[in-house]
Amino acid sequence: MAFLNEVKEKSKVLRDLTAFYQRDEGRSLLEKLWAMASRRPRSFIFTGMGTSEFVSQVLVEYLSRKSPVPFIFWEAGELLHYGIESIRDDDVVIAVSQSGESIETRRITEHLSYHLRLVAVTNNPESYMARYSRVNLPMLAGKEASISNKTYSNSMALMLLIGRALIGEDYDEVFADLEQVANEMDRFLAERQNEIAQAAGLLRDATFVYFISRGPSLAAARQAGLTYQEGVRIFTSVLPGGSFRHGPFEIVGQGHYAIMFASDGHGGDLVRNMALEMAELGSKVVLFTSKNAGEHKNLLNIVLMPAAPELFPLACALPQELLLYHMAADRGWEAGVFQRGSKVTLRE
């Protein structure tokens, strides 16, 4: 039950994070990040492993529109072995690790110990990364023993604040958005868990699930693709909607299962249209969406708060984890219990 209990704490720790960064101590950390970013940077480089890499996806559209500085997110193992020598003094490097000790991201921090624009995002203020970066931005997710859940949503929320800090924009609108998400999490837990039970029923016979989205919501798809392998012990594939159309669409039909994410906007409309089309062709689809995509016996719409595309993956975090828990239980697994790995990966 550890995983489920931690999921139920998501709204509380999200409010804790919001409160901290509204206070002087938190704002001063974000202002230090702005000071680094305002000195003619060559690029913003985000790096991490697994969840800690995926969360930066929420900034792709926002920073592409708002910042003239190129934005790169790089899996830490690949950056460590195939890109570390390319980092220059004028690059702002933001290294994300829940533990602050993940082997690849820690080694990047060690390699860049001289780097004056090295920022860590961690959940452990005593970790190596927190102590040896120039600035450490705490996730404030509290204790987490199972697979990523609170650290996922809090680090993603922190990415939204980091995005504003990098370009010198005001944070107050983000704080209001995060409070709204926390309220919706509480409401979903209190009133809408029956929808998750229905979704688990639709996917009960699945042995392989495709996770499909576009834009910032790919953060939700990539996170689910990872954690459903960890927690449900099910095979998964994660693809942008366009890539799925280019070839894998041939697999659509009876025996095919998908979980899809569709925010507001044109990209979300494309995902909604595809979800309905897939259902009509025989696939069974659970769609986390900002608006109903249409009615079909093979399609279950889980309608969440309409939001800017970069906020929508955060709105999906709690319901997608509740679905993970139900699907694991249906298969006789206790979600979030490690059998072959551990919470902190210390070996490459």
Side-chain angles (χ1 to χ4, degrees), residues 59-210:
L59 291 178
V60 171
E61 181 189 28
Y62 180 80
L63 287 181
S64 295
R65 286 189 291 109
K66 295 280 190 172
S67 173
V69 178
F71 165 79
I72 303 164
F73 58 101
W74 207 331
E75 197 247 34
E78 294 301 298
L79 176 59
L80 176 64
H81 294 292
Y82 300 103
I84 196 76
E85 300 300 334
S86 70
I87 292 176
R88 297 192 333 198
D89 291 345
D90 53 352
D91 293 316
V92 176
V93 180
I94 299 172
V96 186
S97 171
Q98 299 153 22
S99 66
E101 300 289 352
S102 294
I103 185 64
E104 298 90 350
T105 325
R106 173 176 169 147
R107 286 182 175 168
I108 288 171
T109 304
E110 292 170 348
H111 188 89
L112 297 177
S113 59
Y114 68 90
H115 198 74
L116 298 179
R117 303 196 203 190
L118 175 64
V119 179
V121 177
T122 75
N123 198 44
N124 179 3
E126 301 304 317
S127 65
Y128 180 92
M129 287 177 57
R131 289 183 290 119
Y132 290 98
S133 60
R134 301 294 170 166
V135 177
N136 177 60
L137 301 173
M139 296 178 192
L140 301 168
K143 184 178 179 180
E144 183 180 82
S146 59
I147 58 178
S148 301
N149 51 82
K150 294 184 294 180
T151 52
Y152 165 59
S153 49
N154 266 32
S155 58
M156 187 159 44
L158 189 46
M159 288 297 118
L160 300 176
L161 293 171
I162 288 171
R164 270 62 179 183
L166 288 175
I167 60 174
E169 282 199 347
D170 185 75
Y171 319 115
D172 288 341
E173 183 178 347
V174 178
F175 293 136
D177 288 338
L178 296 182
E179 179 62 30
Q180 184 182 5
V181 171
N183 292 339
E184 289 297 322
M185 287 177 173
D186 290 338
R187 190 172 298 115
F188 202 101
L189 278 171
E191 302 173 3
R192 300 183 61 186
Q193 293 199 55
N194 63 308
E195 296 175 50
I196 298 300
Q198 293 173 30
L202 186 67
L203 301 173
R204 184 161 289 123
D205 294 331
T207 58
F208 196 119
V209 176
Y210 280 78

Side-chain angles (χ1 to χ4, degrees), residues 272-303:
R272 277 181 282 273
N273 293 339
M274 178 180 280
L276 183 58
E277 181 183 1
M278 288 164 57
E280 290 170 344
L281 291 170
S283 296
K284 292 186 177 179
V285 180
V286 172
L287 177 66
F288 294 100
T289 179
S290 62
K291 56 187 176 184
N292 195 295
E295 301 299 327
H296 194 279
K297 66 178 182 179
N298 292 331
L299 174 63
L300 179 64
N301 291 274
I302 298 178
V303 180

Side-chain angles (χ1 to χ4, degrees), residues 54 57 211-223 238-241 313:
F54 305 156
Q57 182 93 42
F211 292 89
I212 301 167
S213 189
R214 287 177 182 260
S217 292
L218 278 168
R222 296 180 74 194
Q223 171 71 359
V238 182
L239 287 170

